[in-house]
Amino acid sequence: MDFLDGLRLEGRRALVCGASEGIGRAAAFALASAGASVLALSRRADRLQALLSELPSSTPGQRHQALSADLDQPEALHDRLRAAVAEAPVEIVIHNSGGPPPGPAHRAPPEEYERAFRRHLIAGQVILGLVLPGMRSRGYGRWVNVISTSVREPIPDLGVSNTVRAAVAAWAKTLSAELAPYGITVNSVLPGYTATGRLERLINERAAKSGQSPEQVAEAWRATIPLGRFARPEEIAAVIAFLCTPAASYLTGQAIAVDGGRTRCI
């Protein structure tokens, strides 16, 4: 296989969750640029339609679609996605969604943990059950979780997020061994500080609690990154897209930090 050919995704169909903004939106563009047909999922139907009008479509048979669904409601998600999968198999899944609100773990009410597990883990299991038969029948599957560097080191004041992200990482590693015999890879991408709406909200909330200005908080966070800046969503999406290609066929069970060197390990 030619290396450049191994980076193409013509004829593949990709489900991108959380596609209306941030890393999910950037991932949708990256996969579409590589030739995949994108099924973009989000709660925001208006933003999805805007996304579809912008996604590149330059290869024969490439067709992008929108699916308005809420990962917080797994039963409704199942019904909406089942029809889309029946239309054509999904071979690539980008499992991505907005994180839980900030706050210390010991103060979070139980229902906040329940909501987070429903969105991040239960919804993922629902999606997996629907797409797995198609992946197995075609002998090709790529599942990429978008999680957080908190699975390596918990981030202060993100108690619920730290907990559920670690659960998703363990789930992914377990699946990677179970699904490898079918030609299906399961990997996780761990973004660091990335210039998205969520990061802006976290900065503003930290500033309000600390009495600092948002720029002071942002500068303190940038100082922890060897590259000295926040990531662009497109930089995270490039790694996600690579993991979906044939060229990444021998990568599975990995959790890859894309964080400008902030977390380092041997």
Side-chain angles (χ1 to χ4, degrees), residues 2-246:
D2 180 85
F3 176 71
L4 292 180
D5 289 341
L7 297 176
R8 301 298 301 169
L9 290 170
E10 282 89 352
R12 305 295 182 188
R13 192 180 188 213
L15 170 65
V16 181
C17 301
S20 63
E21 62 181 336
I23 293 171
R25 190 176 193 275
F29 270 92
L31 293 171
S33 297
S37 294
V38 172
L39 175 59
L41 184 148
S42 171
R43 291 175 296 182
R44 301 287 301 275
D46 55 338
R47 290 194 178 186
L48 287 179
Q49 291 305 317
L51 172 68
L52 291 189
S53 69
E54 299 174 26
L55 285 178
S57 181
S58 57
T59 63
Q62 191 176 16
R63 176 173 171 242
H64 307 310
Q65 298 168 281
L67 180 64
S68 178
D70 190 344
L71 298 184
D72 287 352
Q73 301 176 16
E75 296 83 3
L77 169 67
H78 178 276
D79 293 341
R80 298 296 308 280
L81 184 57
R82 179 174 56 184
V85 172
E87 182 180 327
V90 168
E91 300 150 291
I92 296 166
V93 174
I94 311 305
H95 184 218
N96 167 67
S97 61
H106 70 279
R107 293 181 184 170
E111 55 268 24
E112 196 170 307
Y113 282 99
E114 183 180 13
R115 186 182 307 113
F117 273 94
R118 190 164 57 247
R119 177 186 300 176
H120 295 276
L121 192 55
I122 303 305
Q125 188 71 15
V126 167
I127 295 169
L128 179 67
L130 291 169
V131 304
L132 187 54
M135 290 181 175
R136 290 181 63 174
S137 68
R138 299 186 65 140
Y140 190 97
R142 299 288 186 267
W143 185 287
V144 181
N145 299 294
V146 182
I147 318 181
S148 167
T149 56
S150 67
V151 304
R152 293 189 176 172
E153 183 64 35
I155 299 173
D157 206 41
L158 289 180
V160 176
S161 181
N162 293 338
T163 304
V164 72
R165 303 294 196 186
V168 173
W171 175 69
K173 280 185 172 287
T174 304
L175 289 176
S176 70
E178 294 177 355
L179 302 182
Y182 307 110
I184 300 168
T185 66
V186 183
N187 292 290
S188 298
V189 170
L190 315 180
Y193 293 128
T194 306
T196 62
R198 175 167 169 78
L199 181 67
E200 183 178 357
R201 290 189 294 272
L202 290 175
I203 288 172
N204 289 334
E205 288 167 1
R206 179 64 62 86
K209 288 180 180 179
S210 66
Q212 296 177 298
S213 69
E215 182 50 42
Q216 287 174 316
V217 173
E219 184 55 37
W221 289 2
R222 280 193 293 266
T224 67
I225 305 169
L227 286 179
R229 61 178 178 83
F230 297 145
R232 300 186 302 276
E234 294 77 13
E235 293 175 303
I236 311 299
V239 178
I240 293 170
F242 171 73
L243 291 172
C244 297
T245 65

